């Protein structure tokens, strides 16, 4: 896909239909903390109550249609220099380089908009090799392997931790 067709923007209520089209897919939500969205009404509720109020969640758009999301959540207090990244993309858009482009855009923006953030971390389930490859293509560094670290969808899971620092070069 032509990377010039990809943009990031805050979610809008009018994204509910597009959001539902990819957020209902179990393949998309498999590694996420939330389950597939069951209806367009629930999609609208999620946008209203989760996506719009989030401190830095952006819709990944192709020609202004929501095809995924990327979020960066800064920690608070003495940890406010740290942030965690999360993302998902509609399965029909996988393996086209879109997520790599979107994360590069997000990292570039977040260090400008949130100048107190100096480190963005990603926790990735060890079996999610596609996500690990995306992070490495952007320039994230794998820092380690965390055994039985995160609880998700009824299981305790092994995680890899990746980081990107404000002074790192986007590849």
């Amino acid at each position: 896909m032509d990377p010039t067709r990809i943009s990031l923007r805050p979610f809008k209520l009018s994204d509910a239909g597009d959001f539902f089209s990819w957020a209902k897919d179990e393949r998309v939500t498999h590694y996420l903390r939330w389950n597939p969205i069951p209806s367009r009404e629930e999609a609208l509720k999620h946008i209203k109550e989760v996506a719009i109020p989030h401190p830095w969640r952006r819709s990944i758009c192709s020609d202004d249609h929501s095809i995924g999301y990327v979020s960066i959540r800064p920690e608070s207090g003495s940890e406010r220099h740290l942030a965690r990244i999360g993302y998902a993309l509609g399965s029909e858009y996988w393996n086209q380089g879109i997520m790599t482009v979107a994360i590069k855009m997000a990292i570039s923006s977040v260090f400008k908009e949130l100048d107190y953030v100096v480190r963005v971390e990603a926790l990735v389930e060890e079996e999610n090799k596609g996500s690990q490859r995306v992070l490495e293509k952007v320039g994230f560094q794998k820092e380690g392997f965390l055994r039985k670290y995160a609880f998700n969808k009824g299981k305790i899971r092994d995680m890899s931790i990746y980081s990107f620092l404000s002074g790192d070069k986007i590849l």
Side-chain angles (χ1 to χ4, degrees):
M1 176 175 285
D2 178 3
T4 62
R5 294 177 51 203
I6 303 304
S7 62
L8 299 181
R9 62 160 170 75
F11 274 93
K12 305 181 286 192
L13 296 179
S14 59
D15 289 326
D18 290 338
F19 175 74
F20 177 60
S21 71
W22 56 264
K24 67 183 178 185
D25 187 343
E26 205 310 299
R27 294 171 300 165
V28 172
T29 63
H30 180 76
Y31 294 109
L32 301 178
R33 292 188 180 264
W34 43 277
N35 292 318
I37 301 292
S39 67
R40 191 178 184 291
E41 292 74 27
E42 285 297 313
L44 182 60
K45 181 179 177 186
H46 185 90
I47 290 171
K48 270 187 200 173
E49 296 177 6
V50 178
I52 290 174
H54 191 283
W56 205 97
R57 180 166 294 194
R58 301 295 185 263
S59 176
I60 301 169
C61 297
S62 173
D63 300 326
D64 205 41
H65 290 280
S66 181
I67 61 171
Y69 83 93
V70 60
S71 68
I72 299 177
R73 179 178 291 280
E75 299 293 333
S76 59
S78 64
E79 302 284 302
R80 73 188 291 257
H81 65 287
L82 303 173
R84 291 262 171 94
I85 189 170
Y87 45 87
L89 186 67
S91 58
E92 69 187 271
Y93 300 99
W94 291 356
N95 300 310
Q96 298 178 45
I98 294 168
M99 188 54 76
T100 302
V101 169
I103 293 176
K104 286 179 179 183
M105 293 167 73
I107 291 295
S108 178
S109 294
V110 84
F111 285 128
K112 291 174 188 163
E113 294 173 31
L114 307 175
D115 61 353
Y116 53 89
V117 171
V118 298
R119 176 186 171 92
V120 175
E121 296 177 342
L123 290 171
V124 183
E125 289 190 32
E126 184 57 25
E127 65 189 45
N128 190 351
K129 301 299 184 191
S131 186
Q132 292 177 39
R133 279 193 305 276
V134 165
L135 292 168
E136 290 165 359
K137 285 187 214 173
V138 171
F140 277 74
Q141 299 295 310
K142 184 174 182 176
E143 292 188 343
F145 177 73
L146 305 168
R147 298 180 308 154
K148 304 296 180 205
Y149 186 80
F151 185 81
N152 191 21
K153 297 185 178 163
K155 295 183 182 175
I156 298 173
R157 307 190 186 249
D158 295 336
M159 305 295 279
S160 290
I161 185 166
Y162 286 80
S163 70
F164 195 98
L165 305 180
S166 59
D168 289 348
K169 183 178 181 186
I170 294 174
L171 301 179

